[in-house]
Amino acid sequence: MKLKFLGAAGTVTGSGYLFTNDHTKFIIDFGMFQGTKEEESLNTRPLDFLPSEVDAVLLTHAHLDHCGRLPLLVKKGFRGPIYATEVTQELAEIVLFDSAKIALSDQENKLINPLYTEHDVVETIKLFKTIDYHEPQEFKHLKFEYINAGHILGSASIKITTPQNQSIIFSGDIGAYPDLLIPHTEFFENANFVVMESTYGGRAHPNENPIELFAEHLNSADATKGTLLIPAFAIQKTQVLLCLIKELKAQKKIRPDLPVFLDSPMATETTKIYADHSYLFNDRFQNDSTPFDSPALNVALRNKQSSQIKRTKGAKVIIAGSGMMTGGRVLSHAKEYLPDPNASVLFVGYQAAETLGRDLKQGATEVKIDSQKYPVYCKIKEINSLSSHADEPHLLNWLKNIKNINTLFLTHGDDDSRIKLASEVRRKLAVPEIILPKLNEEINLEV
Ligand SMILES: [Zn+2]
């Protein structure tokens, strides 16, 4: 039994694992490297395995850094089933078509070959085989089971068991349980090997009430008749914000007719999928047939509607993508509102290095958008407790539930985070062996 680390080994993005035994080869996640130019260049490195020899893919969830290179795998000859939950399949379809579109425009701008095309995405979607949480599966003599990771809707942790009764768990991304919108992260109880994410190793989320903070930011924009621009990720973060706005308006903790604009075609599509699967929400929102529709919510579908948002004078809220301000409609709002001292930008999610979002969070006084310079006179605000990732105490608790671990592999975190998490695991839990794998390292799994 062997495990090869195809990504997210020393970095957060590019998740991918090749599991091999005497009978079969499985890939668990095959995501895009994102972030710095150096990281992104890893996407175009030749694969050092034959995709046609891989029998199946097990996909944990629909984030691009977990599913983004699947069309490349298919383009290079993979023809097996891609196992995922139904929601993951639907969300991955949106994410992958968007990714192919971006690759195409990159090609037009920079004359480089796209990683894959829409045709490859179509072929990839055909291979999906949807399964439910807790439904035992078997393929090529390997048994596997998905449980709810509580990270985004449809997200899973996966346990594979061999005919020799050896087992390995892939955490996927672990949610910041309890989540505001989706049910609590579930735990596996035992395994010989665990591959665990370490995004928030060494860090705890701030001990604050994100809902009260959010209401304060909304009310302060309202009081000053200013614009509150929220760059938001299309999956999960946008839906959480919309639910909270509905709840705060219903409770009159914010003005019910405060105009809110949702200005992201991808988030709008994603929100429809979330609404279709609202039976998967937690008790707080499960029985609401329209969990995202609040009074004075305006959804900008067309570009023209987007460009007209600025005509709404007085207080307003704009939720727009992309979440790290690397593209999308949020940029035209940034051009309008960064120079406006009465406006605010509210960050509610992670901002990676070399993004406009990170520059603004770090206090840039002038930024460049589409080669034009814009002064930053607006206020920059943040809520750091709305993360959809478990922090270190929650990661440790997740791990504590698993008995009989022989080896723990820490991935999906920068080296600083996984070194800190490893030392906490050594201090608090009895795990015989902890390995921080390197990119493309292959490790024998022997008990
Ligand atoms: Zn994720």
Side-chain angles (χ1 to χ4, degrees):
M1 230 164 48
K2 286 184 295 191
L3 189 63
K4 190 174 169 102
F5 295 83
L6 307 174
T11 59
V12 174
T13 63
S15 274
Y17 310 96
L18 177 64
F19 174 88
T20 307
N21 71 5
D22 293 341
H23 307 287
T24 186
K25 287 182 184 185
F26 273 35
I27 276 185
I28 298 87
D29 286 351
F30 201 52
M32 193 84 92
F33 290 97
Q34 296 171 276
T36 63
K37 285 196 178 69
E38 195 188 333
E39 259 178 279
E40 285 178 4
S41 72
L42 294 171
N43 290 318
T44 50
R45 275 230 312 231
L47 305 177
D48 61 356
F49 61 92
L50 280 176
S52 58
E53 290 181 354
V54 176
D55 291 313
V57 168
L58 309 184
L59 178 61
T60 61
H61 66 289
H63 273 149
L64 189 66
D65 63 321
H66 290 257
C67 71
R69 281 188 294 162
L70 288 176
L72 180 68
L73 203 65
V74 174
K75 184 179 165 181
K76 302 279 182 194
F78 172 74
R79 292 293 177 270
I82 299 171
Y83 290 91
T85 62
E86 188 184 358
V87 185
T88 295
Q89 180 193 332
E90 291 180 23
L91 293 174
E93 214 170 313
I94 295 177
V95 168
L96 294 176
F97 276 116
D98 183 66
S99 167
K101 219 161 68 184
I102 292 171
L104 192 67
S105 74
D106 279 355
Q107 178 198 25
E108 283 158 3
N109 294 337
K110 299 175 205 154
L111 299 171
I112 50 169
N113 279 331
L115 203 55
Y116 50 80
T117 62
E118 287 193 356
H119 169 77
D120 300 313
V121 176
V122 170
E123 295 305 306
T124 304
I125 300 301
K126 284 182 194 164
L127 299 176
F128 270 78
K129 186 169 163 44
T130 60
I131 56 173
D132 286 332
Y133 293 133
H134 312 128
E135 196 182 71
Q137 305 290 327
E138 191 167 346
F139 188 65
K140 301 274 176 188
H141 305 294
L142 286 185
K143 291 181 178 152
F144 53 94
E145 184 190 355
Y146 282 40
I147 61 169
N148 182 9
H151 167 59
I152 61 171
L153 204 65
S155 66
S157 301
I158 302 171
K159 180 174 173 178
I160 298 176
T161 307
T162 69
Q164 295 77 29
N165 219 16
Q166 299 292 305
S167 54
I168 178 164
I169 289 170
F170 294 87
S171 71
D173 286 357
I174 301 169
Y177 52 93
D179 184 82
L180 290 168
L181 182 60
I182 59 178
H184 201 292
T185 299
E186 294 176 332
F187 308 118
F188 281 118
E189 286 173 0
N190 63 73
N192 305 104
F193 304 96
V194 175
V195 180
M196 184 192 186
E197 68 121 324
S198 58
T199 320
Y200 275 87
R203 285 178 289 167
H205 296 321
N207 188 13
E208 61 191 19
N209 183 334
I211 305 173
E212 275 173 19
L213 266 180
F214 187 43
E216 274 172 33
H217 291 310
L218 294 166
N219 283 326
S220 124
D222 200 11
T224 55
K225 297 190 169 38
T227 296
L228 182 67
L229 175 61
I230 311 177
F233 297 105
I235 303 178
Q236 187 84 5
K237 197 57 61 75
T238 295
Q239 292 75 38
V240 167
L241 295 177
L242 292 176
C243 279
L244 291 181
I245 287 171
K246 178 170 183 176
E247 196 178 67
L248 290 168
K249 285 189 170 184
Q251 295 166 350
K252 303 216 165 36
K253 289 185 175 163
I254 59 171
R255 182 162 59 90
D257 56 355
L258 174 67
V260 175
F261 294 89
L262 174 58
D263 191 20
S264 159
M266 190 168 160
T268 304
E269 272 186 80
T270 305
T271 302
K272 276 191 202 128
I273 291 174
Y274 266 66
D276 287 347
H277 296 276
S278 60
Y279 58 90
L280 290 172
F281 295 171
N282 60 25
D283 292 344
R284 182 179 184 150
F285 293 107
Q286 191 169 78
N287 296 322
D288 189 341
S289 59
T290 57
F292 307 116
D293 298 338
S294 53
L297 173 68
N298 307 277
V299 180
L301 294 174
R302 303 213 169 91
N303 285 334
K304 195 174 166 202
Q305 291 168 303
S306 171
S307 59
Q308 284 173 345
I309 291 174
K310 59 175 177 270
R311 290 195 199 161
T312 300
K313 300 296 172 205
K316 62 179 174 295
V317 179
I318 305 171
I319 300 171
S322 70
M324 295 194 273
M325 306 182 82
T326 50
R329 291 181 179 175
V330 74
L331 293 183
S332 57
H333 298 300
K335 291 173 188 172
E336 181 77 21
Y337 295 109
L338 292 181
D340 175 358
N342 197 32
S344 305
V345 176
L346 173 62
F347 290 104
V348 291
Y350 177 72
Q351 305 297 315
E354 296 183 21
T355 62
L356 176 58
R358 174 71 75 91
D359 288 349
L360 289 169
K361 259 185 105 164
Q362 287 182 334
T365 53
E366 186 182 78
V367 293
K368 241 186 195 176
I369 306 171
D370 296 336
S371 318
Q372 282 247 22
K373 286 180 183 167
Y374 295 85
V376 182
Y377 297 134
C378 70
K379 296 177 229 30
I380 303 294
K381 300 174 170 181
E382 55 190 282
I383 300 178
N384 292 315
S385 44
L386 275 172
S387 174
S388 46
H389 274 279
D391 61 3
E392 183 173 272
H394 284 83
L395 289 172
L396 289 168
N397 184 58
W398 182 89
L399 189 63
K400 199 176 77 184
N401 282 277
I402 306 170
K403 306 287 178 277
N404 305 317
I405 302 174
N406 193 70
T407 308
L408 169 69
F409 300 97
L410 293 180
T411 60
H412 199 288
D414 54 37
D415 275 338
D416 182 52
S417 302
R418 54 183 192 162
I419 288 166
K420 283 181 177 151
L421 182 60
S423 83
E424 278 305 285
V425 173
R426 271 187 209 104
R427 213 164 64 81
K428 294 188 171 155
L429 306 173
V431 175
E433 187 181 30
I434 303 173
I435 294 178
L436 312 186
K438 294 185 193 69
L439 183 62
N440 290 323
E441 188 175 355
E442 188 166 48
I443 296 177
N444 281 320
L445 304 178
E446 279 161 24
V447 180

